[in-house]
Amino acid sequence: MADKLFWVVVEYEDDQVIEPSLELISELYRLLQKRRGKLVALALKNDQVAQTNKVLAEHGIEQVIYFSGDCGKSAYKIAANVADLSKREKPAAIFAAGTIWGHDLAALVAAKLRVPLFPNFVEIGFDEQNRLVVYRTILNNTIDAKIIAREKVLVATTQLEQFNIKKAKLPKVPNIVEITKDLSPLEEPTRIITKIKADPKTVDIVNADILIVGGGGMGSRDNFQLIHEVADLLGGSVAGTRVARDKGWITLDRQIGQTGKKVSPKLLISCGVSGAMQLTMGLKGTRNLIAINIDKNAPIFQLADLKIVGDAPTILTDFINKAKALAKNRKEIDKQPDQ
Amino acid sequence: MRIIVLVKMVTEIFFPSYKAASLKEIFDERNKRKKINSYDLAALEEAQQIKKTLGYGSIAAIAVGNEDSRKALQIAHSMGAEELIWINMAIPDPNKINSIQLARVLSDVLKEREFDLILCGVRSDDMATGFLGVALAEFLNLPVVTRSWHIEPAENCSVVWIYRHIGKGDQEVVECPLPSVVTIERSREIPRHPSMVRYVTAKRKISEIKYSLLLEEDNEFFVELSVSRTRPKKIFTPDDSLSAAEKMKLIISGGLNLKKEAEQKEENLSGAEKLYKYLSKNHFLPFSTEKNH
Ligand SMILES: Cc1cc2nc3c(=O)[nH]c(=O)nc-3n(C[C@H](O)[C@H](O)[C@H](O)COP(=O)(O)OP(=O)(O)OC[C@H]3O[C@@H](n4cnc5c(N)ncnc54)[C@H](O)[C@@H]3O)c2cc1C
């Protein structure tokens, strides 16, 4: 019997495969360990192909089909091609992560193939007859719907934050077969006019790209104002530790950690934060961590990309002054007519 | 602008699944009630807003299903829809019907009509599939845009500009030619209060299309329902290949890798200078002369 073919449409952010895609791949890899099946990724070709191949192979992908061409991240173009290709290759199932983009894409693929979409599955397995089964919850999470695709392809997305990310047990020598298909020629009926970034002052800290985090070491409400000033300068959002919340410097919705939120910013500057485990549990997705603490043995320094030992309010005040001066300079340079 | 809004009644369950011994208990009449889909209310409101912007236009509401679905039309009328169309067809178990079947029925009816814009909720509160709008657009061969919260029509009604959410609080504005299908996540204004008089008078206005097809469970896709059980959510688990000590360290740090002691070459720099240099080098300074991130 031919191996069952499972397709995963991979999603990126800043050219990196996003966690929800890896959650999905990890779960499918786990599922296929005791069964015969082939896990194939479909991805947009970007400048990081080598890195993408490595990450995908590490999590159990055996083959990658790349789409190339200037199409931004067009779900419309990718879906049309995935649907087309699937008519020839006949995968047993096509999956995407349950993000906004993943859902749009899966819906378009399913519509083009005239099959239903089963979004946000919370469990996947095989039944006694070796048929693929997915479960999703409906009616306010009170009912489990068990779904089996009898003949046609199953198109489904995952429930976010449901499955663990695990690397493949026996990492195969990455056997990546690239089949490249150019997406450029397809006409898209709609056109993106503009993109509007979320306002860092009001965006949920879970979604913030830049976070300035203040802890008990900021000392007073007045000093905590410096955190807001730095956030304004860098276009970032303000967050804090439990101590900052207990002191009333931030509200609960801005607290990071075990009893707060899990964040994943590109940049996080922690100021007067000790780095207790209950806090660092919320920092997993952080890419660049700068720590400012007066105590050179503070645990937060073990996680920091840049360690600054010193008095946080003083350092922030100096930084704000320097940055403001430079920003003013920059404005004056910009005002000068080009030579 | 001729706008069509798809509306439906959804089932709301009050009984927690962990207390339920059987499906029967959950579906007991005392534990559930019917209400109009909340996203459809937003779609009805947005239709009114478009009409207000243009100063003209018509709104027709369409519902598919048994007698129950007439209620959705009554509510649509009380919120300003002028024309009410009821596709009367039997659906033995709505929980097992998939949107592709519904889309097929709706496209059959809509093919015969003239319209500029079809609005529907981004998903239904009960089944949460979020697929009907996309499937319908595919059947009618129309463009589709999902998750709108504001639709701005062009004066000559040739296009609409749709503000939509794309995650992380970010948005985009999409230009979409007409006719098209748009799924609605929110309306720019809170959905208006229904008018009681219009609710009552709606009954007389409903025009019925009898659809002889019995909408039954799709044979290709078997669906079985059971009481939902609790499942573990994602937790952080370190790599199997790591040593026990390394795993422990990772768990304690919450998954962030411990950083090796960096060489401190720039001892003479002040804290603020170090901070500035790092941010500048990594393109985090919006006012730096270097390239931004
Ligand atoms: C069940 C439970 C759940 C918890 N959940 C959370 C949670 O979700 N989030 C959370 O944050 N905490 C949580 N905590 C609390 C956590 O254990 C820590 O107490 C808390 O994170 C410490 O906050 P902090 O680092 O701001 O303050 P402190 O512990 O007061 O540390 C202040 C730090 O600032 C430094 N400092 C002092 N003065 C200066 C200065 N002038 N300049 C620079 N640095 C200075 C100190 O060296 C110290 O490292 C939880 C605790 C429990 C028991």
Side-chain angles (χ1 to χ4, degrees), chain A residues 112-140:
Chain A
K112 291 199 181 300
L113 296 174
R114 303 284 194 268
V115 293
L117 171 70
F118 298 107
N120 305 339
F121 72 80
V122 289
E123 192 179 326
I124 184 162
F126 287 98
D127 70 357
E128 315 78 48
Q129 294 165 46
N130 205 17
R131 293 179 304 186
L132 184 67
V133 184
V134 294
Y135 291 85
R136 57 186 302 263
T137 56
I138 55 171
L139 290 155
N140 212 0

Side-chain angles (χ1 to χ4, degrees), chain B residues 42-58:
Chain B
L44 286 163
E45 178 60 38
E46 198 56 27
Q48 287 293 344
Q49 294 294 338
I50 296 169
K51 216 173 120 176
K52 193 168 134 194
T53 309
L54 286 169
Y56 62 88
S58 66

